[in-house]
Amino acid sequence: SYILIPMDAKNQTDHLKAYGIAYWVLENEVETYWLLNYMGGSFAMKYADLIEDECKIRGVKYQVIADAQFLKIREEIANPEVNKEVVKLEKAPKIAVYTPDFNAKGKKLQPWDDAVTLVLTYAEIPYDVLYDREVLEDKLAQYDWLHLHHEDFTGQYGKFYRSFKTAAWYIQEKKEAEELAAKLGYDKVSEAKRDVALKIRDYVVGGGFMFAMCSAT
């Protein structure tokens, strides 16, 4: 039999934890099928007691289906008239998040300070944090996926200048950016950010996956 983890709103109550289950299964070297556009992009894997127990522990909705039922689902997806696909996942990707060590107020960054780290932490998906130094030292090559937070690569210290240029935390953030650029051998923050952006570009061109956050202004 198989475990089917639905991802549509009707059948799944915790989508982030469900993604975490899929990652955990791959970490344990169990092949997982990603059923694109089927029940919201559901996941399926061979049944095992440990997987069912983990779904229960994390509060993830699941169904146990027979081999014949899973075969029928695959036949439905294979129909060229429907916009669906089966993708077999075999390896848990190593994930890096590009985010600074300190938040906008100058305090040590916590997972809830960054949308990406907040989501990954909640989903129980492991990740490493990288920033300018690590990128310029070519550490990106060690990872399969790179997630970007809201970053200003122009070196103009972000969008808060007009409202907070006299605030102590903003002045401190500007100082830290300039000190980091100097330690990396740059005269200007903009020059350091330019080279970081180029390194990220080369990473993507070389086959690395990048997911970028964006927001409306």
Side-chain angles (χ1 to χ4, degrees):
S1 59
Y2 280 79
I3 288 181
L4 176 69
I5 300 177
M7 294 297 284
D8 58 314
K10 180 180 178 181
N11 294 288
Q12 186 55 257
T13 55
D14 200 325
H15 294 78
L16 294 179
K17 290 289 188 183
Y19 281 118
I21 286 289
Y23 191 96
W24 177 81
V25 170
L26 289 171
E27 277 190 308
N28 284 275
E29 301 181 347
V30 176
E31 290 182 351
T32 300
Y33 294 91
W34 194 4
L35 311 179
L36 301 181
N37 286 339
Y38 180 84
M39 297 182 71
S42 56
F43 296 97
M45 64 284 298
K46 272 288 189 180
Y47 178 86
D49 290 339
L50 286 176
I51 298 175
E52 183 175 21
D53 291 343
E54 196 68 23
C55 288
K56 292 177 179 178
I57 290 170
R58 302 193 191 191
V60 172
K61 298 294 185 181
Y62 69 96
Q63 302 169 18
V64 178
I65 61 176
D67 288 358
Q69 188 175 352
F70 181 61
L71 179 59
K72 185 176 181 181
I73 291 172
R74 295 198 61 172
E75 290 175 348
E76 175 188 334
I77 293 174
N79 185 341
E81 296 183 0
V82 300
N83 183 27
K84 299 177 182 179
E85 188 62 71
V86 176
V87 177
K88 184 165 71 171
L89 308 176
E90 299 176 319
K91 174 181 177 290
K94 191 172 182 182
I95 299 173
V97 179
Y98 176 86
T99 192
D101 293 330
F102 296 88
N103 63 22
K105 297 300 178 69
K107 296 181 179 180
K108 185 67 175 177
L109 194 76
Q110 300 296 326
W112 49 84
D113 290 315
D114 183 292
V116 175
T117 54
L118 174 64
V119 166
L120 292 175
T121 299
Y122 177 80
E124 300 182 58
I125 296 176
Y127 62 90
D128 292 331
V129 170
L130 305 182
Y131 203 50
D132 293 346
R133 180 183 298 278
E134 291 79 11
V135 171
L136 293 172
E137 291 176 350
D138 293 320
K139 297 289 180 65
L140 279 179
Q142 302 173 15
Y143 298 89
D144 303 300
W145 289 1
L146 173 65
H147 290 261
L148 295 183
H149 74 131
H150 301 277
E151 178 70 17
D152 183 355
F153 287 98
T154 67
Q156 298 180 65
Y157 312 110
K159 61 184 179 181
F160 300 109
Y161 178 79
R162 178 176 295 180
S163 301
F164 298 103
K165 62 183 178 182
T166 60
W169 65 265
Y170 186 88
I171 294 172
Q172 181 63 28
E173 185 180 59
K174 180 174 180 291
K175 178 183 176 183
E176 289 174 356
E178 292 172 346
E179 289 177 348
L180 177 58
K183 290 178 181 178
L184 295 173
Y186 294 91
D187 294 326
K188 297 180 179 180
V189 174
S190 58
E191 295 173 351
K193 290 296 185 183
R194 174 202 62 204
D195 284 358
V196 169
L198 290 174
K199 288 283 188 182
I200 294 174
R201 179 202 64 184
D202 293 343
Y203 166 78
V204 174
V205 170
F209 291 93
M210 184 187 75
F211 297 83
M213 298 289 291
C214 63
S215 62
T217 58

